Amino acid sequence: MKIQVITLFPEMFEGVLGSSMLWKAADRGIADYSFINLRDFGLGPRKTVDDTPYGGGDGMLLKPDPVVAAIEQARQNDPDALVLLPTPRGKTYKQSDAKEIAAAGQQGRGLIIVSPRYEGYDERITQWVDRQYSIGNYVLTGGELPAMILIDSVVRLLPGVLGGETSAEIESFQDDDENIEFPQYTRPEDFRGLKVPEVLLTGHHGEIAKWRAKNAHKAGPA
Ligand code: SAM
């Protein structure tokens, strides 16, 4: 799956995409990450990418011309790619979205992810975007962390990434937020007086399945 990220800070992605499963996905040729530096599309001698908002207000906005030029270049590399924009104005991103995007990826549809900065972007860029996603009701300084969240959640669903060690099929949020995985325990049996629930030690699969079903759906303490 070809994944192109448009960003002013490509170096932010190195640690996340260069480690563990996301690195393995690239190493195995399942995911192919590349970066388009928005600064290369900046205007004038100073390669300007931002400007003040019409109507006044604090902060700067990404100008439409550099962003759209960068999306157009990414589209030349991958004409069928889905263009994603992380934004607090978007639909709340869920596991079902990750699954749908991963399924499209398996059909050969790549991703172009725009990572805004500053106070945001000129709204007209959304004409070049297929999906706008919010990753939660809080504000981050830029679109890079949301872009990494989108990439991680999608790439781990691509066949061959998780291998046998985890199955994405029995995890939380299969039905979006109605289904949360049951609590899990590993050795030691007694950790500082905190015991593993008895039933999990019995080897009785039926009782264990019942206990797990009863204890799924429960969110941990806030
Ligand atoms: N002024 C914007 C507002 O109040 O909604 C916030 C802009 S934020 C400082 C800069 C960029 O970070 C956003 O344009 C978006 O791309 C990204 N961002 C921040 N929080 C986000 C969230 N919860 N979900 C998705 N993207 C987010």
Side-chain angles (χ1 to χ4, degrees), residues 52-120:
T52 51
Y54 279 117
D58 278 344
M60 304 293 273
L61 301 178
L62 287 181
K63 294 166 72 61
D65 359 11
V67 175
V68 169
I71 294 174
E72 284 172 344
Q73 173 165 316
R75 268 218 179 284
Q76 273 182 19
N77 301 335
D78 188 1
D80 292 332
L82 270 174
V83 182
L84 309 186
L85 175 69
T87 168
R89 294 173 55 79
K91 161 188 187 293
T92 303
Y93 185 68
K94 299 214 164 152
Q95 185 68 11
S96 54
D97 298 303
K99 279 185 170 177
E100 191 204 318
I101 295 169
Q106 285 173 66
Q107 307 294 317
R109 215 158 172 204
L111 285 183
I112 296 167
I113 308 179
V114 183
S115 300
R117 273 270 146 185
Y118 314 120
E119 272 318 303

Side-chain angles (χ1 to χ4, degrees), residues 85-89 114-121 133-144 146:
L85 175 69
T87 168
R89 294 173 55 79
V114 183
S115 300
R117 273 270 146 185
Y118 314 120
E119 272 318 303
Y121 47 83
Y133 289 122
S134 163
I135 58 148
N137 292 353
Y138 43 82
V139 179
L140 301 170
T141 51
E144 287 78 11

Side-chain angles (χ1 to χ4, degrees), residues 114-180:
V114 183
S115 300
R117 273 270 146 185
Y118 314 120
E119 272 318 303
Y121 47 83
D122 183 306
E123 188 66 22
R124 289 169 290 186
I125 70 163
T126 59
Q127 296 293 310
W128 280 263
V129 165
D130 297 310
R131 308 271 175 83
Q132 301 180 48
Y133 289 122
S134 163
I135 58 148
N137 292 353
Y138 43 82
V139 179
L140 301 170
T141 51
E144 287 78 11
L145 288 170
M148 288 182 232
I149 286 170
L150 297 174
I151 294 170
D152 187 302
S153 61
V154 168
V155 168
R156 67 191 295 284
L157 296 178
L158 297 175
V161 175
L162 295 184
E165 62 194 71
T166 321
S167 166
E169 286 307 307
I170 54 162
E171 284 181 321
S172 304
F173 309 126
Q174 288 311 306
D175 196 11
D176 284 339
D177 40 12
E178 281 151 41
N179 184 8
I180 300 168

